[in-house]
């Protein structure tokens, strides 16, 4: 039975022809990575044994072998990141596998114009990730002490009998929680719009919970930006100034990159 083809990414053929291709071991840790030219686009692939890496076998590994999953996901990410340092690349998702070289070529040819257009849009550009973290107890205390709506409610109940005050204070706790969320959304959306002016494209991603981040802070915002290389320094300086302005008030902003453009190069 023929080997399967594991696809890491797609690069322009003119770059593949004029740059030395690095030597990497493939997904199975044995066979080398190689390229398949398909007109203006070149696929970066490796071969896989069709029995060992069948759809059923991979699904079983993903569902039941966390060590294998972590090792292979890390391999995929590291390989794509290494290729990104030398080539304009459309990175493919983890475990993108074709039955044969021919089926891969047919797919590339069918989407040729779109792939070429995407590669052109990525050339000379970088993907950056910005996460905003909030220390909610610190921010909640600040909202409780300074927010006009909370202050007004406190004054309103101060003249009530003690018994009524107890129940009204419960409502204030809910008011503070609501205003905290409003404040978090306001700050994050404002910063996102502020940074978006430097980007070609921007997208908002799902926040990670504390089990994933391992941090005491909450992730309040998670976004990605596609930037022209010459604008990266200005972008990072703008973000640094925003972080310093918010510093010590329960906020922290973190930028990482450049990354392969996973979020701006769907194929």
């Amino acid at each position: 039975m023929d080997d399967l083809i594991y696809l890491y990414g797609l690069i322009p053929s003119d770059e593949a022809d004029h740059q030395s291709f690095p030597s990497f071991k493939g997904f199975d840790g044995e066979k080398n990575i190689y390229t398949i030219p398909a007109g203006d686009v070149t696929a970066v692939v490796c071969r896989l044994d069709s029995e060992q890496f069948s759809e059923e076998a991979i699904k079983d590994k993903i569902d039941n072998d966390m060590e294998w999953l972590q090792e292979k996901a890390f391999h995929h990410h590291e390989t794509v990141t290494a290729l990104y340092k030398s080539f304009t690349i459309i990175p493919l998702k983890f475990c993108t596998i074709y039955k044969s070289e021919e089926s891969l070529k047919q797919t590339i040819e069918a989407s040729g114009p779109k792939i070429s257009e995407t590669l052109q849009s990525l050339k000379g550009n970088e993907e950056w990730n910005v996460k905003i973290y909030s220390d909610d107890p610190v921010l909640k205390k600040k909202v409780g002490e300074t927010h006009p709506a909370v202050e007004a409610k406190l004054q309103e109940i101060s003249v009530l009998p003690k018994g009524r005050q107890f129940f009204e204070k419960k409502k204030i706790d809910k008011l503070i929680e609501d205003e905290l969320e409003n404040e978090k959304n306001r700050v994050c959306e404002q910063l996102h719009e502020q940074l978006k002016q430097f980007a070609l494209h921007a997208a908002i991603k799902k926040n990670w919970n504390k089990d994933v981040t391992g941090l005491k802070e909450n992730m309040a915002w998670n976004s990605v930006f596609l930037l022209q290389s010459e604008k990266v320094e200005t972008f990072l300086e703008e973000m640094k100034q925003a972080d310093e302005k918010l510093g010590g008030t329960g906020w922290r902003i973190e930028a990482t990159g450049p990354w392969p453009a996973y979020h701006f190069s769907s194929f």
Side-chain angles (χ1 to χ4, degrees):
M1 202 169 175
D2 291 340
D3 286 342
L4 300 171
I5 304 298
Y6 186 101
L7 177 60
Y8 292 95
L10 303 170
I11 62 179
S13 292
D14 58 354
E15 292 185 18
D17 293 340
H18 293 93
Q19 296 187 50
S20 58
F21 192 78
S23 177
F24 297 122
K25 289 296 180 184
F27 195 78
D28 64 358
E30 298 176 2
K31 301 181 182 71
N32 287 331
I33 290 173
Y34 69 102
T35 58
I36 300 175
D40 294 334
V41 178
T42 292
V44 182
V45 304
C46 71
R47 291 184 177 276
L48 294 178
D49 180 83
S50 56
E51 291 186 10
Q52 184 182 354
F53 293 96
S54 67
E55 184 176 351
E56 294 77 12
I58 287 180
K59 185 178 185 306
D60 180 65
K61 286 288 190 182
I62 289 174
D63 291 343
N64 301 301
D65 192 340
M66 182 57 66
E67 186 177 345
W68 180 92
L69 177 58
Q70 289 176 337
E71 176 193 338
K72 296 304 183 184
F74 184 74
H75 161 81
H76 179 91
H77 172 71
E78 287 292 288
T79 302
V80 171
T81 300
L83 290 167
Y84 167 71
K85 292 176 181 177
S86 299
F87 304 95
T88 304
I89 184 170
I90 296 176
L92 271 294
K93 292 180 180 179
F94 176 65
C95 279
T96 300
I97 299 175
Y98 286 80
K99 291 182 177 180
S100 66
E101 287 191 8
E102 190 56 37
S103 66
L104 171 57
K105 285 181 179 180
Q106 288 173 359
T107 302
I108 293 173
E109 288 167 2
S111 303
K114 181 183 177 183
I115 295 171
S116 296
E117 182 182 342
T118 301
L119 285 168
Q120 188 60 39
S121 73
L122 297 179
K123 196 174 184 68
N125 300 323
E126 303 178 6
E127 180 174 307
W128 284 78
N129 176 226
V130 173
K131 295 182 175 69
I132 306 176
Y133 296 96
S134 61
D135 189 334
D136 284 10
V138 172
L139 293 173
K140 185 176 180 180
K141 184 174 184 294
K142 183 180 177 184
V143 168
E145 293 172 349
T146 64
H147 198 282
V150 177
E151 288 182 349
K153 191 66 177 175
L154 284 169
Q155 289 179 2
E156 179 186 321
I157 70 172
S158 63
V159 297
L160 296 176
K162 296 291 184 183
R164 284 282 307 279
Q165 285 188 25
F166 175 80
F167 292 105
E168 292 299 322
K169 283 179 180 178
K170 292 290 185 183
K171 295 180 182 178
I172 288 182
D173 290 340
K174 177 66 166 58
L175 175 62
I176 291 173
E177 290 286 351
D178 291 344
E179 293 301 338
L180 171 61
E181 289 305 310
N182 290 338
E183 178 68 6
K184 286 166 64 175
N185 289 335
R186 183 190 68 78
V187 170
C188 291
E189 288 172 5
Q190 182 178 338
L191 180 60
H192 183 78
E193 291 301 314
Q194 186 178 336
L195 295 175
K196 196 167 73 171
Q197 64 180 315
F198 301 101
L200 294 169
H201 302 287
I204 301 166
K205 299 170 57 183
K206 183 179 178 180
N207 291 334
W208 301 351
N209 61 37
K210 292 180 180 179
D211 292 338
V212 177
T213 66
L215 300 171
K216 69 171 186 176
E217 307 151 298
N218 286 314
M219 186 183 293
W221 198 261
N222 187 10
S223 53
V224 286
F225 300 86
L226 186 67
L227 305 167
Q228 293 175 314
S229 298
E230 60 268 23
K231 290 192 176 181
V232 169
E233 188 175 339
T234 305
F235 174 88
L236 294 177
E237 181 59 33
E238 185 80 8
M239 196 209 73
K240 180 182 175 183
Q241 290 179 11
D243 191 33
E244 290 173 350
K245 185 177 179 181
L246 292 170
T249 60
W251 295 101
R252 182 170 64 85
I253 309 170
E254 175 186 271
T256 57
W259 301 110
Y262 284 103
H263 297 93
F264 303 103
S265 58
S266 60
F267 165 57

